[in-house]
Amino acid sequence: MKSSGVSMSIGEVAAHFGLATHVLRHWESMGLLAPARVTGDRRRYGTGDLYRIAIILRAKDGGFGLAEIRAMLSAPGRAERRAVLLSRRAELARRIAEAQASLELIDCALDCEQEDLAACPDFRAEIAARARLALPVDLVGAGMPPRPTVNDSQNVRGGPAA
């Protein structure tokens, strides 16, 4: 990628971003970067290259793999780029939902005043709901509605059996 403006060596760029030079070389070998070459086949990075490196780093922070980043950056059009981004977005939304469910479970456990967490009615009800288990008889009698039991066609997450 040819760019105007600044011109930095691979060492300067690596130091600027806190990377090892071999990382930039690897990204170049994967088609993520294409710095200009000068005398002696030395790499020179311009402003556009610096922005591209910043995009790569940010995308990695967002969970993108290098192949996904390459697909996003080299997409021939908006539709192809959008498809890559929508796929990553769906994965992140799924992970966020899982993390939110974990937080809710932790909050429920933190609210429990029982010495034995497994004996806490609210926590047991939460676990039963998440695992799609029938509530224990002692909780049903306490005014909580029974949950359906897990049948053979569903796993504990509620999806089809593998």
Side-chain angles (χ1 to χ4, degrees):
M1 164 181 305
K2 312 284 188 264
S3 13
S4 59
V6 301
S7 178
M8 298 171 70
S9 70
I10 191 169
E12 292 169 327
V13 171
H16 177 80
F17 286 103
L19 300 168
T21 56
H22 71 86
V23 171
L24 296 171
R25 288 187 194 98
H26 176 65
W27 291 352
E28 184 178 351
S29 74
M30 290 195 65
L32 292 167
L33 297 173
R37 299 293 183 141
V38 295
T39 308
D41 205 31
R42 298 176 66 83
R43 294 167 180 85
R44 296 306 292 180
Y45 295 83
T47 304
D49 298 309
L50 299 179
Y51 273 97
R52 194 166 177 105
I53 292 166
I55 291 168
I56 293 166
L57 290 170
R58 185 63 182 105
K60 285 177 59 63
D61 288 345
F64 282 80
L66 293 179
E68 284 178 306
I69 296 169
R70 183 181 56 230
M72 178 182 66
L73 293 175
S74 65
R78 182 176 184 265
E80 294 84 358
R81 181 180 67 245
R82 188 169 169 75
V84 173
L85 292 168
L86 285 172
S87 174
R88 174 52 45 197
R89 185 184 191 292
E91 174 62 18
L92 283 174
R94 181 192 64 76
R95 288 176 45 208
I96 288 167
E98 287 177 354
Q100 185 62 44
S102 293
L103 278 174
E104 290 169 6
L105 187 63
I106 289 168
D107 288 342
C108 182
L110 286 170
D111 289 341
C112 179
E113 295 181 10
Q114 301 284 329
E115 287 299 319
D116 178 7
L117 183 62
C120 177
D122 291 337
F123 189 74
R124 288 177 70 180
E126 183 71 21
I127 291 296
R130 295 205 185 280
R132 299 188 61 174
L133 300 172
L135 281 177
V137 174
D138 59 331
L139 294 181
V140 173
M144 296 183 140
R147 292 261 184 205
T149 58
V150 177
N151 63 39
D152 291 337
S153 68
Q154 295 178 332
N155 63 26
V156 293
R157 290 183 179 245

